[in-house]
Amino acid sequence: MFRKLPPAPPMLSLEEILEDMETFRAEKPESPETRHLQEPDNPSVEDWWRVFETFLKDVDHLAEVKTRLEELKKHVQEKNQTIKSQSGEIHEEIEKNLEEISLFQEEMKMQSER
């Protein structure tokens, strides 16, 4: 009935933790999809507008994605409600059928005793 949990990993000492922190380095790799100006210190007006317009397109695209996600979320919630409702109806029908079966069994038992 109950599963046995695996043993807990050994605890590190404070010294071990501090030693690990000295050697730990997190580096965030640059995304290849990140848009940069060709010459970041002195961009041309054309480059600046190109990056700006691309950014605006990305913002519009993300807004569309967000809208679609909200629509899908609403759809899933509606389906969940429908499933819960139908589940309740099915359980009620099962209970009704079980009661009828019990009554039928009792009736059969009474008839066999006669």
Side-chain angles (χ1 to χ4, degrees):
M1 183 148 128
F2 291 104
R3 290 185 302 159
K4 186 176 180 180
L5 295 175
M11 297 293 291
L12 296 174
S13 69
L14 180 59
E15 292 79 25
E16 291 172 317
I17 293 172
L18 291 174
E19 182 180 318
D20 282 349
M21 288 178 65
E22 288 175 10
T23 59
F24 179 77
R25 254 180 45 169
E27 293 180 7
K28 182 178 178 184
E30 188 173 308
S31 172
E33 297 172 7
T34 304
R35 291 172 181 84
H36 295 286
L37 292 168
Q38 300 291 353
E39 300 171 22
D41 296 334
N42 190 17
S44 70
V45 174
E46 292 83 18
D47 283 345
W48 189 90
W49 277 109
R50 180 183 46 79
V51 171
F52 180 73
E53 288 172 350
T54 303
F55 171 78
L56 288 179
K57 287 177 187 176
D58 289 347
V59 169
D60 289 341
H61 177 71
L62 287 174
E64 291 171 7
V65 168
K66 183 179 178 184
T67 301
R68 181 71 179 134
L69 285 173
E70 290 298 323
E71 290 171 356
L72 289 172
K73 180 180 176 183
K74 183 179 177 185
H75 178 74
V76 168
Q77 288 172 338
E78 290 170 355
K79 290 296 181 186
N80 190 28
Q81 273 308 111
T82 302
I83 290 170
K84 284 181 181 179
S85 172
Q86 291 174 347
S87 171
E89 293 170 6
I90 291 170
H91 283 317
E92 288 174 11
E93 191 167 332
I94 289 171
E95 289 298 322
K96 179 182 168 189
N97 289 341
L98 288 173
E99 288 175 19
E100 289 176 1
I101 290 171
S102 294
L103 290 173
F104 180 75
Q105 286 176 333
E106 286 179 31
E107 186 178 313
M108 293 301 289
K109 183 178 178 183
M110 290 173 76
Q111 285 182 0
S112 68
E113 290 175 354
R114 290 185 193 167

